[in-house]
Amino acid sequence: MIRLMNVIAILVLVGSAVYAYSIKYATLYQAEKMAKLKRELQSETDSLAMVRAEWAHVANPVRIEALADQYLGGQVMQLSQIATLAGLPDKGARGDEIGAKLQDLGLSEPTNTPGAAPSSATPKPGGANATPGGAGPAKAGR
């Protein structure tokens, strides 16, 4: 009987050691995974900071002004170039451009679908699915 208890105690000891090592290696794996994600996050943060610095350089008003002077030959704006609202022409009335195009193509007349019987677009009251309240088909069991 004592030998059986010794064997069981040894098996429990070996089982707990295996379990402890599996927990240890799972923890190490998760720690490595977390460290890798931290490195990736830092890399992305650095990339974002570099993009922001590049944008600050590209969008610098002094740089844009120098490029405009160099390539566009910009001139200083004069007060005589500013227009008033009264000096602007009136906006013309917009017509039905699609309708005019259809009329030019001869497609403005309504067409009938072959084999279709003339019917109204709305169902007549008191049809097969009508309910006294008019709220749609009646549901059984309510």
Side-chain angles (χ1 to χ4, degrees):
M1 181 76 174
I2 293 183
R3 286 187 184 184
L4 179 63
M5 289 178 71
N6 287 341
V7 170
I8 291 173
I10 290 172
L11 289 176
V12 168
L13 182 64
V14 169
S16 64
V18 168
Y19 178 71
Y21 278 113
S22 68
I23 294 293
K24 175 186 174 185
Y25 288 117
T27 305
L28 287 175
Y29 173 74
Q30 292 297 330
E32 286 295 321
K33 193 173 174 183
M34 189 171 63
K36 180 182 175 187
L37 288 174
K38 282 184 180 180
R39 285 190 302 269
E40 287 178 10
L41 180 63
Q42 185 62 41
S43 173
E44 291 297 323
T45 304
D46 294 343
S47 297
L48 184 60
M50 186 182 326
V51 168
R52 284 184 177 156
E54 287 176 359
W55 178 253
H57 171 69
V58 168
N60 188 356
V62 174
R63 181 181 168 274
I64 293 174
E65 183 180 8
L67 290 173
D69 288 341
Q70 180 181 357
Y71 293 108
L72 300 177
Q75 299 173 358
V76 178
M77 187 172 182
Q78 303 297 321
L79 286 177
S80 61
Q81 292 177 308
I82 298 175
T84 61
L85 187 59
L88 296 175
D90 290 334
K91 183 178 177 181
R94 290 185 66 173
D96 185 12
E97 297 165 5
I98 296 174
K101 186 67 170 176
L102 288 174
Q103 191 172 14
D104 290 343
L105 294 172
L107 300 173
S108 62
E109 298 297 323
T111 58
N112 292 328
T113 305
S119 64
S120 65
T122 57
K124 294 182 181 180
N129 291 334
T131 58
K139 304 237 183 218
R142 282 198 176 187

